[in-house]
Amino acid sequence: MNAPFDYAHPFLTGDVKKLFIGGEWVDASSGETFDCIDPSRGLAAIKVSRGGPEDIDRAVAAARAAFEGEWSKWTPFDRQALMLKAAEAIDRRFEDLARLETIDMGAPLARTGLFRRWIQQTFRYYASQAMNTRGDIFSNSVPGNFMAYSHKAPVGVVGAIIPWNGPMITQLWSICPTLATGCTLVLKPAEEAPLSTLMMAEILHEAGVPAGVINVVPGPGPTAGAALAGHMDVNKINFTGSTVTGRKIIEASASNMKRVAVELGGKSPDIVFADADLDAAATGAAMACFTNTGQVCFAGTRLFVERSIYDDFVERVAEVGRKLKVGPALSEESQLGPLASQAQLDRVTSYFQVAREDGARLVTGGEPLDIGGGFFVPPTVYAGVTNDMRIAREEIFGPVLAAIPFDTEEEALALANDTIYGLGGGVWSRDVGRVHRVAHAIRTGMVWTNCYGVTDPAVTFIGTRQSGYGVKGGPYAVDEFLAAKTVWMNLA
Ligand code: ADP
C-alpha cells in the first residue's frame, strides 16, 4: 500500500543513479545496480549503480591524480572561498537535499529539515580552519647550532566509509576537513542510504570543487568498503559505523599502515538522580533514546534511575514515548519515521523477543507497527532490567530503552561503566558537585549534563573504549587530515 505522498524529486530522475568518479557520472564496472528502498513504504525509490573493488580502484586513482594535480596549488584562502561558495550552493538546494534523505533513510522532515543550520555551520567552521593550520617552531629547545620546525601537509587520499543513519550530516565529517586541508576523498556510503551523498557530490561539483577531489562509490561493505579500507594508495580511513565492522576496518588498514579514525557503536548510560528537574529529565531521557527512531550512535539507551523515583519516572518517560507521532517520513506530522531497512526492523523486533525471554517488564511499545508496508516500531520502554540482560548490553539501534534502578551514586557509576562501549552519557541532577563528579567518572568520550545529545561542529566529538578513536568535529579534527613533518636546520 503506497502512502499518499508525492515522491517526485528533482534528483530522482533517470533509471539509475550512477557512481561519481573523477567529476563524471559513471556506471559500475560490473554494470550491476541495487534497489534503493524507501523505508516508509518498503518499496524501491530508484536503482543505484553497485560499486565494487574495480570502481574503488578507479575512484582512488582519480583522487590521487587530483591530489597531485592542480588542487595541490590551491591556497588555503582559495579553499576557504570554495567552501563558503559551496555552503551557499547547498543552502539553495537544502530542501531537496533534506527531502531526499527523508525518502532514502526514513528520518522525518521534522528531523532532516533541522539540519540546514548545522550544515551551514559545519562548512563555515571548517572554512575558517582552512586558514588556521600551522606547525611549530622549535627554536629555543634545541641545543647547539640547530633549530627545527614542523611543516603540516595534507595527508593525501582519504577514504570515508559512512553509515545509513544520517549520511546527509555524517559525510560532512569527511568532506569538510578534506576541503579545508587540500586532501582528496573517496566516499563509500551505505547501500541503505546513498542518495544524499550522491546529491552532495553533484552540488559540490557545480559549486566548483575540482574533478577527482570528491568521489562517491556506493556499494556493499564487504566488497567496495573492504577494498577501500585495505587499499594500498589510500592514506587515511574515516569510518563511522558498528564496532564489529570497525574492527575489520582497522585490520584492513594494516595493509599499508594507513591512518584510521573509527566512530563506532554505543550503549550509552543516562543517569537520573531524584533531585533532578524531573520534567526536563523525563523528556530529555526519552528523546536521548527515541530521536531518529533510536538510530543514533550516542543514544542514551540505558536509563539508570534512583530507586526512590524509579516507577514514577519510568512511567513519565514511557508517556513521552507514547505521545510521539510515528508515521511516514514525508508526513509533516511525523515526529519519528520508520527504521531504515528491513534488516534493521528484523534486528529490533528480535530484541523484543530477547527482552521477553530475559524477563524484562514491558512498559510501552514492544511490537512492530503496521503502517503502509514500512519498517515501523514504536518507542519502547522496558523496566525491571538488570545490567546483565542482553537489552542492556548490546547495541540495538532502535527506540528501545532499558530502565535500571540504582540506590547510590557509586552503584550508578559502576553500572554505567560496566559496558564495552564509551561514546555518550548523561547525568541529571541539581547538585552541581555531583553533576561534575559523575560527568568526570563516566568512562565515555562525551557526557551531557542536564541535557542530552547536543552537538556542534566547533566542538570535539569523540569516543573511547570500543566506541572507537579519532576526533570528529572541533579544533583537533583537522589535524587528523594533516601529516606533520619535522625539518632540521643547521644554523652554522
Ligand atoms: P550496519 O551493520 O548497521 O549496516 P556497518 O558498520 O556494517 O553497520 O555499516 C557502516 C558502513 O560500513 C556501511 O557503509 C557499510 O557498507 C560498511 N561496511 C560494512 N562491512 C564492511 C567491511 N567489511 N569493510 C568495509 N566497510 C564495511
mmCIF file of all heavy atoms in Angstrom, residues 324-373:
data_model
loop_
_atom_site.group_PDB
_atom_site.id
_atom_site.type_symbol
_atom_site.label_atom_id
_atom_site.label_comp_id
_atom_site.label_asym_id
_atom_site.label_seq_id
_atom_site.Cartn_x
_atom_site.Cartn_y
_atom_site.Cartn_z
ATOM 1 N N LEU A 324 4.670 10.438 21.123
ATOM 2 C CA LEU A 324 5.400 10.767 19.886
ATOM 3 C C LEU A 324 4.660 10.188 18.691
ATOM 4 O O LEU A 324 4.224 9.030 18.721
ATOM 5 C CB LEU A 324 6.825 10.205 19.938
ATOM 6 C CG LEU A 324 7.761 10.910 20.914
ATOM 7 C CD1 LEU A 324 9.052 10.124 21.082
ATOM 8 C CD2 LEU A 324 8.057 12.331 20.449
ATOM 9 N N LYS A 325 4.530 10.989 17.645
ATOM 10 C CA LYS A 325 3.775 10.558 16.468
ATOM 11 C C LYS A 325 4.731 9.817 15.523
ATOM 12 O O LYS A 325 5.665 10.384 14.984
ATOM 13 C CB LYS A 325 3.183 11.804 15.800
ATOM 14 C CG LYS A 325 2.451 11.553 14.528
ATOM 15 C CD LYS A 325 0.949 11.404 14.749
ATOM 16 C CE LYS A 325 0.198 11.144 13.444
ATOM 17 N NZ LYS A 325 0.079 9.761 13.057
ATOM 18 N N VAL A 326 4.478 8.513 15.374
ATOM 19 C CA VAL A 326 5.278 7.685 14.466
ATOM 20 C C VAL A 326 4.521 7.557 13.156
ATOM 21 O O VAL A 326 3.327 7.233 13.155
ATOM 22 C CB VAL A 326 5.495 6.274 15.062
ATOM 23 C CG1 VAL A 326 6.377 5.438 14.124
ATOM 24 C CG2 VAL A 326 6.111 6.359 16.443
ATOM 25 N N GLY A 327 5.171 7.819 12.023
ATOM 26 C CA GLY A 327 4.456 7.709 10.755
ATOM 27 C C GLY A 327 5.369 7.898 9.566
ATOM 28 O O GLY A 327 6.599 8.020 9.717
ATOM 29 N N PRO A 328 4.784 7.922 8.362
ATOM 30 C CA PRO A 328 5.575 8.039 7.136
ATOM 31 C C PRO A 328 6.489 9.258 7.196
ATOM 32 O O PRO A 328 6.080 10.338 7.643
ATOM 33 C CB PRO A 328 4.518 8.205 6.035
ATOM 34 C CG PRO A 328 3.274 7.641 6.619
ATOM 35 C CD PRO A 328 3.338 7.878 8.091
ATOM 36 N N ALA A 329 7.707 9.086 6.731
ATOM 37 C CA ALA A 329 8.713 10.134 6.910
ATOM 38 C C ALA A 329 8.342 11.421 6.172
ATOM 39 O O ALA A 329 8.722 12.509 6.601
ATOM 40 C CB ALA A 329 10.074 9.623 6.453
ATOM 41 N N LEU A 330 7.597 11.311 5.067
ATOM 42 C CA LEU A 330 7.256 12.535 4.329
ATOM 43 C C LEU A 330 6.076 13.295 4.952
ATOM 44 O O LEU A 330 5.764 14.398 4.532
ATOM 45 C CB LEU A 330 6.922 12.208 2.870
ATOM 46 C CG LEU A 330 8.105 12.011 1.917
ATOM 47 C CD1 LEU A 330 7.613 11.735 0.509
ATOM 48 C CD2 LEU A 330 9.057 13.198 1.916
ATOM 49 N N SER A 331 5.422 12.701 5.947
ATOM 50 C CA SER A 331 4.315 13.407 6.595
ATOM 51 C C SER A 331 4.856 14.505 7.500
ATOM 52 O O SER A 331 5.745 14.262 8.324
ATOM 53 C CB SER A 331 3.480 12.430 7.423
ATOM 54 O OG SER A 331 2.637 13.154 8.283
ATOM 55 N N GLU A 332 4.289 15.684 7.348
ATOM 56 C CA GLU A 332 4.722 16.821 8.186
ATOM 57 C C GLU A 332 4.425 16.550 9.659
ATOM 58 O O GLU A 332 5.019 17.152 10.547
ATOM 59 C CB GLU A 332 3.993 18.111 7.763
ATOM 60 C CG GLU A 332 4.156 18.497 6.302
ATOM 61 C CD GLU A 332 5.430 19.279 6.036
ATOM 62 O OE1 GLU A 332 6.067 19.695 7.016
ATOM 63 O OE2 GLU A 332 5.787 19.452 4.855
ATOM 64 N N GLU A 333 3.468 15.654 9.917
ATOM 65 C CA GLU A 333 3.074 15.387 11.311
ATOM 66 C C GLU A 333 3.997 14.412 12.020
ATOM 67 O O GLU A 333 4.016 14.353 13.243
ATOM 68 C CB GLU A 333 1.664 14.783 11.336
ATOM 69 C CG GLU A 333 0.587 15.782 11.054
ATOM 70 C CD GLU A 333 -0.723 15.091 10.736
ATOM 71 O OE1 GLU A 333 -0.902 13.912 11.114
ATOM 72 O OE2 GLU A 333 -1.546 15.740 10.083
ATOM 73 N N SER A 334 4.738 13.598 11.255
ATOM 74 C CA SER A 334 5.534 12.541 11.888
ATOM 75 C C SER A 334 6.693 13.124 12.680
ATOM 76 O O SER A 334 7.444 13.961 12.183
ATOM 77 C CB SER A 334 6.087 11.580 10.825
ATOM 78 O OG SER A 334 5.033 10.940 10.157
ATOM 79 N N GLN A 335 6.825 12.630 13.926
ATOM 80 C CA GLN A 335 7.998 13.019 14.725
ATOM 81 C C GLN A 335 9.076 11.942 14.655
ATOM 82 O O GLN A 335 10.253 12.232 14.781
ATOM 83 C CB GLN A 335 7.571 13.254 16.181
ATOM 84 C CG GLN A 335 6.672 14.483 16.323
ATOM 85 C CD GLN A 335 6.043 14.540 17.694
ATOM 86 O OE1 GLN A 335 5.234 13.688 18.060
ATOM 87 N NE2 GLN A 335 6.418 15.539 18.464
ATOM 88 N N LEU A 336 8.639 10.697 14.496
ATOM 89 C CA LEU A 336 9.570 9.601 14.278
ATOM 90 C C LEU A 336 9.156 8.863 13.016
ATOM 91 O O LEU A 336 7.965 8.593 12.806
ATOM 92 C CB LEU A 336 9.558 8.614 15.455
ATOM 93 C CG LEU A 336 9.978 9.147 16.823
ATOM 94 C CD1 LEU A 336 9.906 8.024 17.859
ATOM 95 C CD2 LEU A 336 11.371 9.743 16.802
ATOM 96 N N GLY A 337 10.129 8.510 12.184
ATOM 97 C CA GLY A 337 9.855 7.758 10.969
ATOM 98 C C GLY A 337 10.094 6.271 11.188
ATOM 99 O O GLY A 337 10.215 5.800 12.332
ATOM 100 N N PRO A 338 10.175 5.519 10.096
ATOM 101 C CA PRO A 338 10.446 4.082 10.207
ATOM 102 C C PRO A 338 11.915 3.839 10.535
ATOM 103 O O PRO A 338 12.732 4.757 10.475
ATOM 104 C CB PRO A 338 10.148 3.579 8.792
ATOM 105 C CG PRO A 338 10.489 4.760 7.926
ATOM 106 C CD PRO A 338 10.073 5.981 8.706
ATOM 107 N N LEU A 339 12.242 2.585 10.854
ATOM 108 C CA LEU A 339 13.644 2.169 10.854
ATOM 109 C C LEU A 339 14.128 2.181 9.410
ATOM 110 O O LEU A 339 13.326 2.151 8.469
ATOM 111 C CB LEU A 339 13.770 0.768 11.469
ATOM 112 C CG LEU A 339 13.422 0.704 12.962
ATOM 113 C CD1 LEU A 339 13.171 -0.733 13.396
ATOM 114 C CD2 LEU A 339 14.529 1.330 13.806
ATOM 115 N N ALA A 340 15.441 2.205 9.211
ATOM 116 C CA ALA A 340 15.969 2.500 7.871
ATOM 117 C C ALA A 340 15.885 1.327 6.901
ATOM 118 O O ALA A 340 16.013 1.532 5.694
ATOM 119 C CB ALA A 340 17.415 2.972 7.979
ATOM 120 N N SER A 341 15.691 0.093 7.391
ATOM 121 C CA SER A 341 15.720 -1.053 6.469
ATOM 122 C C SER A 341 14.969 -2.239 7.072
ATOM 123 O O SER A 341 14.733 -2.293 8.288
ATOM 124 C CB SER A 341 17.170 -1.466 6.192
ATOM 125 O OG SER A 341 17.756 -1.944 7.388
ATOM 126 N N GLN A 342 14.649 -3.179 6.203
ATOM 127 C CA GLN A 342 14.030 -4.430 6.671
ATOM 128 C C GLN A 342 14.967 -5.138 7.661
ATOM 129 O O GLN A 342 14.522 -5.669 8.680
ATOM 130 C CB GLN A 342 13.765 -5.343 5.456
ATOM 131 C CG GLN A 342 13.180 -6.701 5.809
ATOM 132 C CD GLN A 342 11.735 -6.617 6.277
ATOM 133 O OE1 GLN A 342 10.902 -6.038 5.592
ATOM 134 N NE2 GLN A 342 11.446 -7.196 7.447
ATOM 135 N N ALA A 343 16.277 -5.124 7.362
ATOM 136 C CA ALA A 343 17.237 -5.795 8.246
ATOM 137 C C ALA A 343 17.190 -5.173 9.643
ATOM 138 O O ALA A 343 17.250 -5.871 10.660
ATOM 139 C CB ALA A 343 18.653 -5.685 7.670
ATOM 140 N N GLN A 344 17.053 -3.856 9.689
ATOM 141 C CA GLN A 344 17.013 -3.165 10.972
ATOM 142 C C GLN A 344 15.715 -3.478 11.707
ATOM 143 O O GLN A 344 15.699 -3.647 12.927
ATOM 144 C CB GLN A 344 17.191 -1.659 10.731
ATOM 145 C CG GLN A 344 17.678 -0.874 11.912
ATOM 146 C CD GLN A 344 18.908 -1.462 12.565
ATOM 147 O OE1 GLN A 344 19.699 -2.158 11.932
ATOM 148 N NE2 GLN A 344 19.065 -1.221 13.849
ATOM 149 N N LEU A 345 14.611 -3.579 10.959
ATOM 150 C CA LEU A 345 13.329 -3.961 11.565
ATOM 151 C C LEU A 345 13.446 -5.368 12.176
ATOM 152 O O LEU A 345 13.004 -5.602 13.310
ATOM 153 C CB LEU A 345 12.213 -3.924 10.510
ATOM 154 C CG LEU A 345 10.836 -4.358 11.005
ATOM 155 C CD1 LEU A 345 10.292 -3.395 12.056
ATOM 156 C CD2 LEU A 345 9.842 -4.452 9.834
ATOM 157 N N ASP A 346 14.044 -6.284 11.426
ATOM 158 C CA ASP A 346 14.203 -7.660 11.926
ATOM 159 C C ASP A 346 15.051 -7.659 13.192
ATOM 160 O O ASP A 346 14.762 -8.370 14.165
ATOM 161 C CB ASP A 346 14.878 -8.553 10.867
ATOM 162 C CG ASP A 346 13.995 -8.741 9.641
ATOM 163 O OD1 ASP A 346 12.784 -8.440 9.725
ATOM 164 O OD2 ASP A 346 14.524 -9.174 8.595
ATOM 165 N N ARG A 347 16.098 -6.850 13.174
ATOM 166 C CA ARG A 347 17.011 -6.807 14.323
ATOM 167 C C ARG A 347 16.293 -6.269 15.565
ATOM 168 O O ARG A 347 16.359 -6.864 16.639
ATOM 169 C CB ARG A 347 18.203 -5.911 13.963
ATOM 170 C CG ARG A 347 19.203 -5.745 15.064
ATOM 171 C CD ARG A 347 20.399 -4.896 14.607
ATOM 172 N NE ARG A 347 21.235 -4.581 15.744
ATOM 173 C CZ ARG A 347 22.127 -5.439 16.253
ATOM 174 N NH1 ARG A 347 22.299 -6.610 15.701
ATOM 175 N NH2 ARG A 347 22.833 -5.103 17.318
ATOM 176 N N VAL A 348 15.599 -5.151 15.395
ATOM 177 C CA VAL A 348 14.951 -4.524 16.557
ATOM 178 C C VAL A 348 13.840 -5.427 17.100
ATOM 179 O O VAL A 348 13.735 -5.637 18.318
ATOM 180 C CB VAL A 348 14.422 -3.120 16.185
ATOM 181 C CG1 VAL A 348 13.592 -2.537 17.321
ATOM 182 C CG2 VAL A 348 15.586 -2.186 15.857
ATOM 183 N N THR A 349 13.042 -6.016 16.219
ATOM 184 C CA THR A 349 11.948 -6.871 16.714
ATOM 185 C C THR A 349 12.510 -8.141 17.374
ATOM 186 O O THR A 349 11.894 -8.667 18.299
ATOM 187 C CB THR A 349 10.935 -7.227 15.609
ATOM 188 O OG1 THR A 349 11.643 -7.724 14.470
ATOM 189 C CG2 THR A 349 10.129 -6.032 15.180
ATOM 190 N N SER A 350 13.674 -8.579 16.934
ATOM 191 C CA SER A 350 14.256 -9.767 17.587
ATOM 192 C C SER A 350 14.596 -9.435 19.050
ATOM 193 O O SER A 350 14.539 -10.298 19.921
ATOM 194 C CB SER A 350 15.489 -10.257 16.831
ATOM 195 O OG SER A 350 16.614 -9.461 17.126
ATOM 196 N N TYR A 351 14.926 -8.178 19.313
ATOM 197 C CA TYR A 351 15.222 -7.800 20.705
ATOM 198 C C TYR A 351 13.945 -7.717 21.552
ATOM 199 O O TYR A 351 14.021 -7.838 22.785
ATOM 200 C CB TYR A 351 16.017 -6.490 20.759
ATOM 201 C CG TYR A 351 17.497 -6.736 20.549
ATOM 202 C CD1 TYR A 351 18.084 -6.571 19.300
ATOM 203 C CD2 TYR A 351 18.297 -7.173 21.599
ATOM 204 C CE1 TYR A 351 19.426 -6.827 19.101
ATOM 205 C CE2 TYR A 351 19.651 -7.429 21.412
ATOM 206 C CZ TYR A 351 20.210 -7.252 20.164
ATOM 207 O OH TYR A 351 21.543 -7.515 19.983
ATOM 208 N N PHE A 352 12.790 -7.517 20.919
ATOM 209 C CA PHE A 352 11.537 -7.571 21.697
ATOM 210 C C PHE A 352 11.390 -8.983 22.280
ATOM 211 O O PHE A 352 11.006 -9.169 23.431
ATOM 212 C CB PHE A 352 10.326 -7.244 20.810
ATOM 213 C CG PHE A 352 10.299 -5.825 20.274
ATOM 214 C CD1 PHE A 352 9.615 -5.519 19.100
ATOM 215 C CD2 PHE A 352 10.928 -4.792 20.950
ATOM 216 C CE1 PHE A 352 9.572 -4.227 18.605
ATOM 217 C CE2 PHE A 352 10.895 -3.487 20.467
ATOM 218 C CZ PHE A 352 10.219 -3.209 19.290
ATOM 219 N N GLN A 353 11.724 -9.965 21.462
ATOM 220 C CA GLN A 353 11.664 -11.367 21.885
ATOM 221 C C GLN A 353 12.705 -11.642 22.988
ATOM 222 O O GLN A 353 12.401 -12.244 24.015
ATOM 223 C CB GLN A 353 11.928 -12.246 20.641
ATOM 224 C CG GLN A 353 11.988 -13.723 20.886
ATOM 225 C CD GLN A 353 10.627 -14.286 21.285
ATOM 226 O OE1 GLN A 353 9.599 -13.658 21.025
ATOM 227 N NE2 GLN A 353 10.637 -15.433 21.949
ATOM 228 N N VAL A 354 13.919 -11.118 22.758
ATOM 229 C CA VAL A 354 15.004 -11.307 23.737
ATOM 230 C C VAL A 354 14.590 -10.722 25.093
ATOM 231 O O VAL A 354 14.777 -11.349 26.150
ATOM 232 C CB VAL A 354 16.298 -10.626 23.231
ATOM 233 C CG1 VAL A 354 17.335 -10.488 24.335
ATOM 234 C CG2 VAL A 354 16.873 -11.384 22.036
ATOM 235 N N ALA A 355 13.994 -9.531 25.072
ATOM 236 C CA ALA A 355 13.596 -8.861 26.321
ATOM 237 C C ALA A 355 12.553 -9.706 27.059
ATOM 238 O O ALA A 355 12.617 -9.854 28.292
ATOM 239 C CB ALA A 355 13.030 -7.473 26.011
ATOM 240 N N ARG A 356 11.603 -10.273 26.289
ATOM 241 C CA ARG A 356 10.582 -11.147 26.901
ATOM 242 C C ARG A 356 11.243 -12.344 27.570
ATOM 243 O O ARG A 356 10.966 -12.665 28.722
ATOM 244 C CB ARG A 356 9.613 -11.655 25.816
ATOM 245 C CG ARG A 356 8.329 -10.829 25.694
ATOM 246 C CD ARG A 356 7.262 -11.574 24.895
ATOM 247 N NE ARG A 356 7.644 -11.866 23.521
ATOM 248 C CZ ARG A 356 7.498 -11.017 22.498
ATOM 249 N NH1 ARG A 356 6.989 -9.819 22.695
ATOM 250 N NH2 ARG A 356 7.881 -11.361 21.279
ATOM 251 N N GLU A 357 12.139 -12.984 26.826
ATOM 252 C CA GLU A 357 12.785 -14.202 27.351
ATOM 253 C C GLU A 357 13.638 -13.905 28.583
ATOM 254 O O GLU A 357 13.726 -14.716 29.494
ATOM 255 C CB GLU A 357 13.669 -14.826 26.263
ATOM 256 C CG GLU A 357 12.851 -15.533 25.199
ATOM 257 C CD GLU A 357 13.675 -15.871 23.956
ATOM 258 O OE1 GLU A 357 14.922 -15.703 23.978
ATOM 259 O OE2 GLU A 357 13.055 -16.273 22.966
ATOM 260 N N ASP A 358 14.261 -12.707 28.599
ATOM 261 C CA ASP A 358 15.135 -12.370 29.729
ATOM 262 C C ASP A 358 14.357 -11.855 30.940
ATOM 263 O O ASP A 358 14.950 -11.560 31.975
ATOM 264 C CB ASP A 358 16.176 -11.316 29.300
ATOM 265 C CG ASP A 358 17.280 -11.942 28.452
ATOM 266 O OD1 ASP A 358 17.246 -13.172 28.263
ATOM 267 O OD2 ASP A 358 18.161 -11.200 27.964
ATOM 268 N N GLY A 359 13.038 -11.688 30.791
ATOM 269 C CA GLY A 359 12.201 -11.319 31.934
ATOM 270 C C GLY A 359 12.087 -9.838 32.200
ATOM 271 O O GLY A 359 11.715 -9.431 33.311
ATOM 272 N N ALA A 360 12.399 -8.981 31.193
ATOM 273 C CA ALA A 360 12.194 -7.538 31.380
ATOM 274 C C ALA A 360 10.683 -7.254 31.333
ATOM 275 O O ALA A 360 9.926 -7.977 30.691
ATOM 276 C CB ALA A 360 12.908 -6.765 30.289
ATOM 277 N N ARG A 361 10.255 -6.178 32.028
ATOM 278 C CA ARG A 361 8.826 -5.827 32.067
ATOM 279 C C ARG A 361 8.534 -4.738 31.034
ATOM 280 O O ARG A 361 9.109 -3.644 31.102
ATOM 281 C CB ARG A 361 8.456 -5.344 33.468
ATOM 282 C CG ARG A 361 6.985 -4.937 33.614
ATOM 283 C CD ARG A 361 6.618 -4.793 35.095
ATOM 284 N NE ARG A 361 7.375 -3.765 35.792
ATOM 285 C CZ ARG A 361 7.106 -2.459 35.735
ATOM 286 N NH1 ARG A 361 6.108 -2.007 35.002
ATOM 287 N NH2 ARG A 361 7.858 -1.585 36.404
ATOM 288 N N LEU A 362 7.666 -5.066 30.080
ATOM 289 C CA LEU A 362 7.336 -4.102 29.021
ATOM 290 C C LEU A 362 6.443 -3.002 29.583
ATOM 291 O O LEU A 362 5.387 -3.271 30.146
ATOM 292 C CB LEU A 362 6.622 -4.832 27.880
ATOM 293 C CG LEU A 362 6.232 -3.970 26.680
ATOM 294 C CD1 LEU A 362 7.456 -3.445 25.959
ATOM 295 C CD2 LEU A 362 5.348 -4.761 25.719
ATOM 296 N N VAL A 363 6.860 -1.740 29.412
ATOM 297 C CA VAL A 363 6.049 -0.610 29.890
ATOM 298 C C VAL A 363 5.275 0.011 28.728
ATOM 299 O O VAL A 363 4.118 0.376 28.865
ATOM 300 C CB VAL A 363 6.945 0.462 30.562
ATOM 301 C CG1 VAL A 363 6.085 1.591 31.148
ATOM 302 C CG2 VAL A 363 7.813 -0.158 31.636
ATOM 303 N N THR A 364 5.911 0.115 27.573
ATOM 304 C CA THR A 364 5.202 0.602 26.376
ATOM 305 C C THR A 364 5.929 0.095 25.134
ATOM 306 O O THR A 364 7.122 -0.200 25.180
ATOM 307 C CB THR A 364 5.089 2.143 26.357
ATOM 308 O OG1 THR A 364 4.241 2.528 25.276
ATOM 309 C CG2 THR A 364 6.438 2.826 26.176
ATOM 310 N N GLY A 365 5.188 -0.023 24.025
ATOM 311 C CA GLY A 365 5.773 -0.445 22.748
ATOM 312 C C GLY A 365 5.911 -1.959 22.671
ATOM 313 O O GLY A 365 5.034 -2.702 23.108
ATOM 314 N N GLY A 366 7.018 -2.411 22.070
ATOM 315 C CA GLY A 366 7.341 -3.835 22.086
ATOM 316 C C GLY A 366 6.753 -4.664 20.966
ATOM 317 O O GLY A 366 6.929 -5.884 20.954
ATOM 318 N N GLU A 367 6.049 -4.049 20.018
ATOM 319 C CA GLU A 367 5.517 -4.763 18.847
ATOM 320 C C GLU A 367 5.725 -3.868 17.629
ATOM 321 O O GLU A 367 5.559 -2.653 17.733
ATOM 322 C CB GLU A 367 3.997 -4.993 18.976
ATOM 323 C CG GLU A 367 3.567 -5.912 20.088
ATOM 324 C CD GLU A 367 3.840 -7.370 19.782
ATOM 325 O OE1 GLU A 367 4.101 -7.688 18.595
ATOM 326 O OE2 GLU A 367 3.851 -8.179 20.726
ATOM 327 N N PRO A 368 6.026 -4.446 16.450
ATOM 328 C CA PRO A 368 6.117 -3.595 15.251
ATOM 329 C C PRO A 368 4.771 -2.957 14.928
ATOM 330 O O PRO A 368 3.725 -3.461 15.357
ATOM 331 C CB PRO A 368 6.553 -4.563 14.146
ATOM 332 C CG PRO A 368 6.408 -5.928 14.709
ATOM 333 C CD PRO A 368 6.331 -5.846 16.190
ATOM 334 N N LEU A 369 4.794 -1.859 14.194
ATOM 335 C CA LEU A 369 3.556 -1.150 13.825
ATOM 336 C C LEU A 369 3.261 -1.405 12.349
ATOM 337 O O LEU A 369 4.170 -1.363 11.513
ATOM 338 C CB LEU A 369 3.730 0.361 14.040
ATOM 339 C CG LEU A 369 4.009 0.819 15.475
ATOM 340 C CD1 LEU A 369 4.379 2.312 15.483
ATOM 341 C CD2 LEU A 369 2.790 0.573 16.348
ATOM 342 N N ASP A 370 1.999 -1.618 12.042
ATOM 343 C CA ASP A 370 1.595 -1.891 10.664
ATOM 344 C C ASP A 370 1.164 -0.569 10.014
ATOM 345 O O ASP A 370 0.024 -0.153 10.127
ATOM 346 C CB ASP A 370 0.446 -2.904 10.685
ATOM 347 C CG ASP A 370 0.030 -3.280 9.274
ATOM 348 O OD1 ASP A 370 0.730 -2.861 8.323
ATOM 349 O OD2 ASP A 370 -0.990 -3.977 9.124
ATOM 350 N N ILE A 371 2.128 0.108 9.368
ATOM 351 C CA ILE A 371 1.816 1.390 8.720
ATOM 352 C C ILE A 371 2.291 1.322 7.276
ATOM 353 O O ILE A 371 3.488 1.465 7.000
ATOM 354 C CB ILE A 371 2.499 2.582 9.443
ATOM 355 C CG1 ILE A 371 2.172 2.596 10.931
ATOM 356 C CG2 ILE A 371 2.096 3.905 8.791
ATOM 357 C CD1 ILE A 371 2.915 3.668 11.730
ATOM 358 N N GLY A 372 1.394 1.078 6.356
ATOM 359 C CA GLY A 372 1.677 1.197 4.929
ATOM 360 C C GLY A 372 2.868 0.419 4.399
ATOM 361 O O GLY A 372 3.531 0.875 3.474
ATOM 362 N N GLY A 373 3.184 -0.727 4.978
ATOM 363 C CA GLY A 373 4.270 -1.546 4.435
ATOM 364 C C GLY A 373 5.660 -1.092 4.843
ATOM 365 O O GLY A 373 6.654 -1.653 4.388
#
